[in-house]
Amino acid sequence: MNGFRKKCFGLMKPFTGILGLVIAGGCQSRGPAAPGEGNRTILEIGFETETHPFEPRGGSEELTLTNEAFHTGAFSLRIENRSKPWHGPSINIAPYLTAGREYEISCWIRLISPERTELQLSTQIGQGDAASYHGVAKKGIALQDGWVQYTGTYRYTNISSGYITLYVESPADGTASFYLDDLRLTELAAPMISLEDLDPLKSRYEPYFLIGNIASNADLKGIRFDLLSRHFNVITAENGMKPASLQADQGAFTFADADELVDAFLAQGMQVHGHTLAWHQQSPEWMNHEGISRGQAVENLVTHAKTVAAHFKGRVISWDVLNEAITDNPQNPEDWRGALRETPWYKAIGDDYIPLLFQAAREADPEAKLYYNDYNLDNQNKAQAVYAMVKELNERYPDVGGRPLIDGIGMQGHYRVNTNPKTVALSLERFASLGVEISITELDIQAGADAALSESQSLQQALLYGSLFTLFKEYAGSIARVTFWGLDDASSWRASANPTLFDKNLQAKQAFYAVSDPERFMAQHQGLTAQETRRAHAVFGSPVVDGIVDPIWEQAPALPVNQYLMAWQGASGTARVLWDDASLYVLVTVTDTVLNKASLNAYEQDSVEVFLDERNDKAASFQEDDGQYRVNFMNETSFNPQSAGTGFVSAVKTSGASYTVEMKIPFKHRTPANGAEIGFDLQINDASDQGIRQSVALWNDLSGNSFQDTSGYGILVLTGKP
Ligand code: 9MR
């Protein structure tokens, strides 16, 4: 706790010697009690005494008690000199919490600068790699000329780290200064969750395949551990066995946390799958950086794989030996070498880094099943490239340890409600025909947004889970394991898209029941399938395309470009669309910290793309009314087909961590009118600081084929013409 961060009083006040907080049953009660019988206020901070328990989260920002402004009483906390969105006042509330209980959390905020911006009250659970971050009261607009209350609820299912903070951040403006007052934490009387009500999933799937989930060290106690142990029989460490976790510094292997995690689940009679021996993400810089020699790279790769595989020998059943080595949607998939991602491993060693790596793992742990693991394997081009790679390598290296070089293919399975189970089935069929085993290694299904899930979205999600599990059962002869990537929505890497079986209160969602008994669930909802196409309005109006955002754009609704094609979640943004009798106008604001256009491929540069199917005929190949319009952050344009560029105008403005693109696209094949529907999509390409495309965000179409197939585009409805 920070005992004496204070001062700059215009008014002197007596020092009372008591912290500015009141614990339940304490001497002070402020404002109305939280609604509900039996709720207990356990912490209140009004900043009315000489000390306060807040810390600066970033380090450099200043926290000062002040009487310049207050919500109640005479004082508040002033927060200034922030330089990052996540900087702000932070308080460790772990000592006040009881595991499994739900809390109402509220505070009051008034902006100092700018005049208005979006702030968020958030909570951090745990520290370092084990930390997870969750919005409690999201995206409220704070103002300069009045106090705004931020209120939300959160159920803390694991408090074992002893480090759980509340903090205020500013996603849209990293430098915002503000006053904070009257923070209150109320324990709600709602009952704790009962585990016994649900049939264990692992029993239901026992005849078919192993059923798994992920864990971190923070999950080794309490209700989360109980829930994991009840439903699953195999565990993957979410982050703890990745190269960056096990060998951050060369030669200094750090196994203690991973050992603790593995042994805790083994002691429950569960099994463990290892993830991952080599990946271009979450690997330390020293291991495989640009310019490293082939010899050094081989040494680093092989030493890491052998040491780690040997260390866990006998305790893991299988390894994701190599993760995500194939590019997205390769255009010539037969040529799997041409489809390889140009990672530092590949650049330093060449394509034989793959057999070298698998051989090293096999030598160190001959018993473990060795997997190639990747995402978007429902994309048939990518699936074909993986098929070609595994087939050729297994033919070329038939006898490694008496087994094929690669035992299995891991289909990660980061899906969305509009994922088509038929494409998943095609890939299962393709891989099964190779004779290798298949595991679904990271299953989750995004639905809804901003951590909100409507009843119908929840049902759509459950329906897709149901059809997938029906399918997995059909392929049970080839499928060894199905692992979910996240126990509950709040702890998921995609928390805002509600992708798991349990909600943030660890209550089973419809998705749980669909997985538990897919045939019954599908029969109960006969005829329904999970498909969701985004629709939005374009509003009548003619902005000037000059890089200055005219107020008229505000009349059009904001479209989130926030669904990811690749597993890496990079730049995202929002767009607005206007139209007049001659043109469609698109404004896209992208949030991106590093802007790069080093790649010779325009689509790999930081850039924005619009896809247009003017007649909305959803053709599976480009027709004359279809076009792709790309503008990078330096306002350099490219078009598909080339002729689409005729009459196109664009302007770009960059500022700090964002850039804004304005486009004017003339209508060429349709006379626009109120009510007309147009096929439309948006894409944000995010280049890494190495100039490689690391993430693709879209408004609607996640087929990866928008450049040639319009059938997955979202729909724009033209409105507002007087
Ligand atoms: O869920 C993991 C998240 O906590 C990490 O921040 C992230 C870092 O890359 O990795 C996530 O897990 C990834 C997995 O290791 C490989 N496939 C994609 C998963 C989601 O990004």
Side-chain angles (χ1 to χ4, degrees), residues 442-472:
E442 306 183 12
L443 182 60
D444 56 8
I445 300 175
Q446 300 181 63
D450 293 332
L453 187 67
S454 68
E455 274 297 304
S456 94
Q457 289 163 335
S458 165
L459 176 60
Q460 291 198 323
Q461 178 184 52
L463 288 166
L464 182 56
Y465 269 117
S467 1
L468 287 174
F469 273 82
T470 314
L471 179 65
F472 297 158

mmCIF file of all heavy atoms in Angstrom, residues 442-472:
data_model
loop_
_atom_site.group_PDB
_atom_site.id
_atom_site.type_symbol
_atom_site.label_atom_id
_atom_site.label_comp_id
_atom_site.label_asym_id
_atom_site.label_seq_id
_atom_site.Cartn_x
_atom_site.Cartn_y
_atom_site.Cartn_z
ATOM 1 N N GLU A 442 -7.941 -25.975 -29.480
ATOM 2 C CA GLU A 442 -8.153 -24.671 -28.835
ATOM 3 C C GLU A 442 -9.564 -24.171 -29.139
ATOM 4 O O GLU A 442 -9.766 -23.050 -29.595
ATOM 5 C CB GLU A 442 -7.122 -23.645 -29.333
ATOM 6 C CG GLU A 442 -5.698 -24.122 -29.188
ATOM 7 C CD GLU A 442 -4.645 -23.092 -29.607
ATOM 8 O OE1 GLU A 442 -4.993 -21.909 -29.803
ATOM 9 O OE2 GLU A 442 -3.479 -23.481 -29.741
ATOM 10 N N LEU A 443 -10.549 -25.002 -28.882
ATOM 11 C CA LEU A 443 -11.891 -24.685 -29.344
ATOM 12 C C LEU A 443 -12.533 -23.524 -28.572
ATOM 13 O O LEU A 443 -12.571 -23.528 -27.341
ATOM 14 C CB LEU A 443 -12.769 -25.941 -29.213
ATOM 15 C CG LEU A 443 -14.209 -25.822 -29.692
ATOM 16 C CD1 LEU A 443 -14.277 -25.461 -31.174
ATOM 17 C CD2 LEU A 443 -14.964 -27.131 -29.451
ATOM 18 N N ASP A 444 -13.000 -22.538 -29.293
ATOM 19 C CA ASP A 444 -13.887 -21.516 -28.729
ATOM 20 C C ASP A 444 -14.702 -20.917 -29.871
ATOM 21 O O ASP A 444 -14.310 -21.020 -31.031
ATOM 22 C CB ASP A 444 -13.139 -20.453 -27.906
ATOM 23 C CG ASP A 444 -12.033 -19.720 -28.645
ATOM 24 O OD1 ASP A 444 -11.895 -19.897 -29.868
ATOM 25 O OD2 ASP A 444 -11.309 -18.946 -27.997
ATOM 26 N N ILE A 445 -15.846 -20.350 -29.556
ATOM 27 C CA ILE A 445 -16.724 -19.798 -30.594
ATOM 28 C C ILE A 445 -17.155 -18.389 -30.176
ATOM 29 O O ILE A 445 -17.874 -18.213 -29.184
ATOM 30 C CB ILE A 445 -17.976 -20.676 -30.803
ATOM 31 C CG1 ILE A 445 -17.572 -22.088 -31.224
ATOM 32 C CG2 ILE A 445 -18.896 -20.029 -31.837
ATOM 33 C CD1 ILE A 445 -18.740 -23.069 -31.340
ATOM 34 N N GLN A 446 -16.730 -17.414 -30.938
ATOM 35 C CA GLN A 446 -17.087 -16.032 -30.591
ATOM 36 C C GLN A 446 -18.558 -15.761 -30.890
ATOM 37 O O GLN A 446 -19.046 -16.141 -31.945
ATOM 38 C CB GLN A 446 -16.287 -15.061 -31.436
ATOM 39 C CG GLN A 446 -14.807 -15.164 -31.266
ATOM 40 C CD GLN A 446 -14.105 -14.139 -32.135
ATOM 41 O OE1 GLN A 446 -14.262 -12.943 -31.959
ATOM 42 N NE2 GLN A 446 -13.344 -14.615 -33.084
ATOM 43 N N ALA A 447 -19.208 -15.054 -29.978
ATOM 44 C CA ALA A 447 -20.600 -14.644 -30.206
ATOM 45 C C ALA A 447 -20.838 -13.369 -29.410
ATOM 46 O O ALA A 447 -20.308 -13.214 -28.319
ATOM 47 C CB ALA A 447 -21.556 -15.736 -29.746
ATOM 48 N N GLY A 448 -21.651 -12.466 -29.968
ATOM 49 C CA GLY A 448 -21.880 -11.206 -29.268
ATOM 50 C C GLY A 448 -20.609 -10.364 -29.256
ATOM 51 O O GLY A 448 -19.614 -10.703 -29.891
ATOM 52 N N ALA A 449 -20.656 -9.270 -28.533
ATOM 53 C CA ALA A 449 -19.502 -8.367 -28.472
ATOM 54 C C ALA A 449 -19.534 -7.616 -27.156
ATOM 55 O O ALA A 449 -20.555 -7.615 -26.458
ATOM 56 C CB ALA A 449 -19.552 -7.378 -29.634
ATOM 57 N N ASP A 450 -18.404 -6.982 -26.840
ATOM 58 C CA ASP A 450 -18.312 -6.165 -25.623
ATOM 59 C C ASP A 450 -18.788 -6.918 -24.383
ATOM 60 O O ASP A 450 -19.441 -6.353 -23.509
ATOM 61 C CB ASP A 450 -19.123 -4.869 -25.771
ATOM 62 C CG ASP A 450 -18.513 -3.965 -26.812
ATOM 63 O OD1 ASP A 450 -17.289 -4.044 -27.004
ATOM 64 O OD2 ASP A 450 -19.271 -3.205 -27.447
ATOM 65 N N ALA A 451 -18.464 -8.187 -24.326
ATOM 66 C CA ALA A 451 -18.818 -9.035 -23.177
ATOM 67 C C ALA A 451 -20.335 -9.115 -22.963
ATOM 68 O O ALA A 451 -20.793 -9.491 -21.892
ATOM 69 C CB ALA A 451 -18.115 -8.583 -21.900
ATOM 70 N N ALA A 452 -21.105 -8.809 -24.012
ATOM 71 C CA ALA A 452 -22.562 -8.950 -23.905
ATOM 72 C C ALA A 452 -23.007 -10.051 -24.867
ATOM 73 O O ALA A 452 -22.484 -10.159 -25.981
ATOM 74 C CB ALA A 452 -23.237 -7.633 -24.273
ATOM 75 N N LEU A 453 -23.949 -10.854 -24.423
ATOM 76 C CA LEU A 453 -24.418 -11.974 -25.230
ATOM 77 C C LEU A 453 -25.936 -12.026 -25.103
ATOM 78 O O LEU A 453 -26.449 -12.306 -24.022
ATOM 79 C CB LEU A 453 -23.784 -13.270 -24.690
ATOM 80 C CG LEU A 453 -24.007 -14.554 -25.465
ATOM 81 C CD1 LEU A 453 -23.299 -14.494 -26.817
ATOM 82 C CD2 LEU A 453 -23.468 -15.749 -24.682
ATOM 83 N N SER A 454 -26.628 -11.755 -26.215
ATOM 84 C CA SER A 454 -28.091 -11.800 -26.141
ATOM 85 C C SER A 454 -28.534 -13.264 -26.137
ATOM 86 O O SER A 454 -27.764 -14.158 -26.467
ATOM 87 C CB SER A 454 -28.703 -11.076 -27.339
ATOM 88 O OG SER A 454 -28.422 -11.830 -28.502
ATOM 89 N N GLU A 455 -29.811 -13.469 -25.799
ATOM 90 C CA GLU A 455 -30.354 -14.831 -25.798
ATOM 91 C C GLU A 455 -30.165 -15.494 -27.153
ATOM 92 O O GLU A 455 -29.784 -16.651 -27.257
ATOM 93 C CB GLU A 455 -31.853 -14.786 -25.470
ATOM 94 C CG GLU A 455 -32.149 -14.787 -23.991
ATOM 95 C CD GLU A 455 -31.683 -16.070 -23.313
ATOM 96 O OE1 GLU A 455 -32.099 -17.145 -23.749
ATOM 97 O OE2 GLU A 455 -30.879 -15.973 -22.362
ATOM 98 N N SER A 456 -30.425 -14.723 -28.231
ATOM 99 C CA SER A 456 -30.375 -15.362 -29.544
ATOM 100 C C SER A 456 -28.928 -15.640 -29.941
ATOM 101 O O SER A 456 -28.621 -16.656 -30.567
ATOM 102 C CB SER A 456 -31.139 -14.543 -30.578
ATOM 103 O OG SER A 456 -30.282 -13.690 -31.258
ATOM 104 N N GLN A 457 -28.018 -14.749 -29.553
ATOM 105 C CA GLN A 457 -26.605 -15.031 -29.852
ATOM 106 C C GLN A 457 -26.130 -16.253 -29.071
ATOM 107 O O GLN A 457 -25.371 -17.082 -29.570
ATOM 108 C CB GLN A 457 -25.739 -13.815 -29.483
ATOM 109 C CG GLN A 457 -25.951 -12.641 -30.422
ATOM 110 C CD GLN A 457 -25.431 -11.338 -29.833
ATOM 111 O OE1 GLN A 457 -25.333 -11.177 -28.616
ATOM 112 N NE2 GLN A 457 -25.100 -10.402 -30.704
ATOM 113 N N SER A 458 -26.611 -16.341 -27.832
ATOM 114 C CA SER A 458 -26.225 -17.468 -27.001
ATOM 115 C C SER A 458 -26.725 -18.778 -27.619
ATOM 116 O O SER A 458 -26.027 -19.797 -27.643
ATOM 117 C CB SER A 458 -26.808 -17.233 -25.608
ATOM 118 O OG SER A 458 -26.770 -18.387 -24.867
ATOM 119 N N LEU A 459 -27.939 -18.733 -28.169
ATOM 120 C CA LEU A 459 -28.499 -19.923 -28.807
ATOM 121 C C LEU A 459 -27.712 -20.278 -30.077
ATOM 122 O O LEU A 459 -27.391 -21.437 -30.330
ATOM 123 C CB LEU A 459 -29.979 -19.698 -29.124
ATOM 124 C CG LEU A 459 -30.667 -20.831 -29.879
ATOM 125 C CD1 LEU A 459 -30.618 -22.135 -29.078
ATOM 126 C CD2 LEU A 459 -32.119 -20.489 -30.195
ATOM 127 N N GLN A 460 -27.395 -19.251 -30.877
ATOM 128 C CA GLN A 460 -26.637 -19.516 -32.105
ATOM 129 C C GLN A 460 -25.296 -20.154 -31.782
ATOM 130 O O GLN A 460 -24.843 -21.084 -32.451
ATOM 131 C CB GLN A 460 -26.412 -18.213 -32.856
ATOM 132 C CG GLN A 460 -27.697 -17.661 -33.429
ATOM 133 C CD GLN A 460 -27.422 -16.643 -34.502
ATOM 134 O OE1 GLN A 460 -26.474 -15.882 -34.391
ATOM 135 N NE2 GLN A 460 -28.237 -16.627 -35.521
ATOM 136 N N GLN A 461 -24.670 -19.639 -30.739
ATOM 137 C CA GLN A 461 -23.380 -20.193 -30.334
ATOM 138 C C GLN A 461 -23.537 -21.662 -29.915
ATOM 139 O O GLN A 461 -22.767 -22.531 -30.313
ATOM 140 C CB GLN A 461 -22.843 -19.364 -29.168
ATOM 141 C CG GLN A 461 -21.535 -19.863 -28.610
ATOM 142 C CD GLN A 461 -21.112 -19.057 -27.402
ATOM 143 O OE1 GLN A 461 -21.891 -18.888 -26.457
ATOM 144 N NE2 GLN A 461 -19.898 -18.536 -27.430
ATOM 145 N N ALA A 462 -24.574 -21.902 -29.125
ATOM 146 C CA ALA A 462 -24.817 -23.268 -28.653
ATOM 147 C C ALA A 462 -25.090 -24.193 -29.839
ATOM 148 O O ALA A 462 -24.632 -25.343 -29.868
ATOM 149 C CB ALA A 462 -25.981 -23.273 -27.677
ATOM 150 N N LEU A 463 -25.831 -23.690 -30.824
ATOM 151 C CA LEU A 463 -26.129 -24.528 -31.989
ATOM 152 C C LEU A 463 -24.862 -24.922 -32.731
ATOM 153 O O LEU A 463 -24.714 -26.069 -33.173
ATOM 154 C CB LEU A 463 -27.087 -23.798 -32.937
ATOM 155 C CG LEU A 463 -28.523 -23.676 -32.432
ATOM 156 C CD1 LEU A 463 -29.295 -22.656 -33.267
ATOM 157 C CD2 LEU A 463 -29.222 -25.034 -32.472
ATOM 158 N N LEU A 464 -23.937 -23.985 -32.846
ATOM 159 C CA LEU A 464 -22.702 -24.349 -33.533
ATOM 160 C C LEU A 464 -21.895 -25.341 -32.693
ATOM 161 O O LEU A 464 -21.360 -26.321 -33.218
ATOM 162 C CB LEU A 464 -21.869 -23.111 -33.881
ATOM 163 C CG LEU A 464 -20.576 -23.429 -34.644
ATOM 164 C CD1 LEU A 464 -20.854 -24.214 -35.924
ATOM 165 C CD2 LEU A 464 -19.806 -22.164 -34.983
ATOM 166 N N TYR A 465 -21.836 -25.100 -31.379
ATOM 167 C CA TYR A 465 -21.160 -26.089 -30.525
ATOM 168 C C TYR A 465 -21.824 -27.458 -30.706
ATOM 169 O O TYR A 465 -21.155 -28.485 -30.827
ATOM 170 C CB TYR A 465 -21.227 -25.673 -29.046
ATOM 171 C CG TYR A 465 -20.051 -24.837 -28.568
ATOM 172 C CD1 TYR A 465 -20.224 -23.526 -28.120
ATOM 173 C CD2 TYR A 465 -18.763 -25.372 -28.534
ATOM 174 C CE1 TYR A 465 -19.145 -22.767 -27.660
ATOM 175 C CE2 TYR A 465 -17.687 -24.623 -28.079
ATOM 176 C CZ TYR A 465 -17.878 -23.325 -27.641
ATOM 177 O OH TYR A 465 -16.822 -22.595 -27.195
ATOM 178 N N GLY A 466 -23.144 -27.466 -30.733
ATOM 179 C CA GLY A 466 -23.882 -28.725 -30.869
ATOM 180 C C GLY A 466 -23.560 -29.412 -32.179
ATOM 181 O O GLY A 466 -23.265 -30.617 -32.211
ATOM 182 N N SER A 467 -23.575 -28.643 -33.306
ATOM 183 C CA SER A 467 -23.290 -29.331 -34.576
ATOM 184 C C SER A 467 -21.845 -29.792 -34.618
ATOM 185 O O SER A 467 -21.550 -30.856 -35.168
ATOM 186 C CB SER A 467 -23.576 -28.514 -35.834
ATOM 187 O OG SER A 467 -24.029 -27.278 -35.584
ATOM 188 N N LEU A 468 -20.932 -29.017 -34.045
ATOM 189 C CA LEU A 468 -19.531 -29.451 -34.083
ATOM 190 C C LEU A 468 -19.331 -30.734 -33.280
ATOM 191 O O LEU A 468 -18.637 -31.650 -33.725
ATOM 192 C CB LEU A 468 -18.625 -28.347 -33.538
ATOM 193 C CG LEU A 468 -18.442 -27.137 -34.464
ATOM 194 C CD1 LEU A 468 -17.636 -26.040 -33.763
ATOM 195 C CD2 LEU A 468 -17.760 -27.535 -35.774
ATOM 196 N N PHE A 469 -19.966 -30.811 -32.113
ATOM 197 C CA PHE A 469 -19.759 -32.031 -31.318
ATOM 198 C C PHE A 469 -20.442 -33.251 -31.930
ATOM 199 O O PHE A 469 -19.957 -34.371 -31.792
ATOM 200 C CB PHE A 469 -20.124 -31.809 -29.840
ATOM 201 C CG PHE A 469 -18.949 -31.259 -29.082
ATOM 202 C CD1 PHE A 469 -18.655 -29.908 -29.109
ATOM 203 C CD2 PHE A 469 -18.074 -32.103 -28.403
ATOM 204 C CE1 PHE A 469 -17.530 -29.391 -28.460
ATOM 205 C CE2 PHE A 469 -16.952 -31.613 -27.747
ATOM 206 C CZ PHE A 469 -16.681 -30.248 -27.776
ATOM 207 N N THR A 470 -21.543 -33.021 -32.635
ATOM 208 C CA THR A 470 -22.148 -34.131 -33.377
ATOM 209 C C THR A 470 -21.143 -34.636 -34.405
ATOM 210 O O THR A 470 -20.920 -35.842 -34.571
ATOM 211 C CB THR A 470 -23.435 -33.644 -34.087
ATOM 212 O OG1 THR A 470 -24.196 -32.896 -33.162
ATOM 213 C CG2 THR A 470 -24.235 -34.777 -34.650
ATOM 214 N N LEU A 471 -20.518 -33.685 -35.078
ATOM 215 C CA LEU A 471 -19.516 -34.021 -36.088
ATOM 216 C C LEU A 471 -18.296 -34.702 -35.455
ATOM 217 O O LEU A 471 -17.799 -35.717 -35.960
ATOM 218 C CB LEU A 471 -19.106 -32.701 -36.761
ATOM 219 C CG LEU A 471 -18.058 -32.718 -37.839
ATOM 220 C CD1 LEU A 471 -18.581 -33.490 -39.048
ATOM 221 C CD2 LEU A 471 -17.728 -31.282 -38.259
ATOM 222 N N PHE A 472 -17.808 -34.155 -34.352
ATOM 223 C CA PHE A 472 -16.622 -34.748 -33.710
ATOM 224 C C PHE A 472 -16.903 -36.201 -33.310
ATOM 225 O O PHE A 472 -16.041 -37.064 -33.420
ATOM 226 C CB PHE A 472 -16.203 -33.945 -32.471
ATOM 227 C CG PHE A 472 -15.768 -32.521 -32.766
ATOM 228 C CD1 PHE A 472 -15.802 -31.542 -31.771
ATOM 229 C CD2 PHE A 472 -15.333 -32.155 -34.032
ATOM 230 C CE1 PHE A 472 -15.408 -30.246 -32.032
ATOM 231 C CE2 PHE A 472 -14.934 -30.840 -34.304
ATOM 232 C CZ PHE A 472 -14.974 -29.887 -33.298
#
